[in-house]
Amino acid sequence: MEYALTATKTEARAGSYYDRIARLYDLTFKLNGYGRSLDQYFANHPLPVSRGAKILDAGCGTGLLTLAMLRAIRYPVSITALDLSSTSIEAARKAIYFSPGRKRDVTFAQGNLLSLPFPDESLDLVVTSGALEYVPLADGLSELARVIVPGGHLLHLPCRPTLASRVLEILFRFKSHPPREVIGNTERHFRIVHHYRFPAPQAIGWSKTAILAQKV
Ligand SMILES: C[S@@+](CC[C@H](N)C(=O)[O-])C[C@H]1O[C@@H](n2cnc3c(N)ncnc32)[C@H](O)[C@@H]1O
């Protein structure tokens, strides 16, 4: 098993699967206007970071969220884009290389969000979208909380159970966590700053919300 050193068999399955379908994922989420929706969200809700901030994109996939952060943040920061899937990381690396943004702000790591290669309380912001759906929610949020400094932030874009997310669940083999569990588990480590519903015309809103939370 390719990911045996970093993940259990169940976790590794997600990495191997994305090695095969990274292109399909990238295309689906480009076509549904995900990047544009993220741009609008960040324009209205600036990320709570300052120059030099240490940021992790946990489960970065093909880099769509990392790219949106690079477009939104106007000063140098240090972003680690981490994923289990090496194919996805390569796609993210290429996309960022060919983007007009500050490529040197981003480093890549192959790893498991359930055992992050960072010391306790070492990051200012963790963003994650579509990855916690592949792991036990309480374990995933605990590990993300571990690496965030007190007062630092988590931006989480959880899938919410809708018809659209049901289609995505089948296509991308994940399971949305019940919204009540998402809120409850988030509040075990964080104070929720806002819980944003994307406007109805944006396709991202058919399956996702955005939760910004501050570590207490
Ligand atoms: C639905 S994609 C989301 C990609 C990206 N965050 C985005 O917003 O476009 C889910 C990603 O999570 C990754 N993933 C799943 N389980 C993971 C884990 N335990 N650790 C790290 N990455 C994981 C998959 O390899 C895949 O690239």
Side-chain angles (χ1 to χ4, degrees):
M1 179 68 63
E2 194 187 342
Y3 301 117
L5 289 177
T6 49
T8 66
K9 246 185 182 174
T10 316
E11 291 147 25
R13 215 171 285 142
S16 309
Y17 184 56
Y18 272 89
D19 279 346
R20 298 198 298 277
I21 57 112
R23 271 187 167 192
L24 171 68
Y25 173 81
D26 195 55
L27 187 65
T28 309
F29 274 72
K30 273 182 182 148
L31 288 178
N32 75 14
Y34 181 47
R36 269 195 312 280
S37 297
L38 290 174
D39 290 344
Q40 284 182 24
Y41 170 73
F42 288 140
N44 295 321
H45 305 89
L47 283 163
V49 287
S50 47
R51 181 177 285 265
K54 294 196 174 88
I55 302 173
L56 167 68
D57 182 355
C60 64
T62 55
L64 298 173
L65 179 53
T66 301
L67 279 165
M69 284 196 291
L70 278 179
R71 289 192 295 269
I73 302 174
R74 302 279 175 196
Y75 35 79
V77 291
S78 167
I79 302 176
T80 302
L82 173 141
D83 203 284
L84 266 181
S85 156
S86 53
T87 306
S88 298
I89 292 172
E90 274 321 300
R93 200 192 297 275
K94 255 190 211 153
I96 286 156
Y97 180 79
F98 288 110
S99 77
R102 297 176 314 275
K103 318 165 206 320
R104 267 177 290 168
D105 284 14
V106 186
T107 52
F108 298 89
Q110 186 175 13
N112 184 352
L113 71 82
L114 290 177
S115 50
L116 291 169
F118 298 99
D120 295 356
E121 302 185 351
S122 55
L123 302 175
D124 301 297
L125 170 70
V126 173
V127 300
T128 189
S129 175
L132 285 174
E133 283 76 5
Y134 290 93
V135 300
L137 181 62
D139 297 348
L141 280 169
S142 293
E143 180 61 356
L144 299 185
R146 179 185 71 75
V147 298
I148 299 175
V149 293
H153 289 83
L154 169 74
L155 175 66
H156 176 200
L157 276 69
C159 250
R160 60 191 187 92
T162 60
L163 202 58
S165 60
R166 188 70 201 114
V167 174
L168 295 175
E169 283 178 352
I170 294 166
L171 202 55
F172 298 117
R173 299 188 187 167
F174 68 87
K175 188 83 198 85
S176 303
H177 298 294
R180 226 188 268 168
E181 286 180 24
V182 172
I183 298 295
N185 279 287
T186 303
E187 286 177 334
R188 284 176 52 204
H189 310 277
F190 302 92
R191 174 185 71 84
I192 294 182
V193 178
H194 68 234
H195 191 176
Y196 178 76
R197 288 290 286 263
F198 293 94
Q202 296 186 20
I204 186 178
W206 304 347
S207 62
K208 275 180 183 294
T209 60
I211 297 176
L212 178 69
Q214 183 169 35
K215 183 163 165 192
V216 288

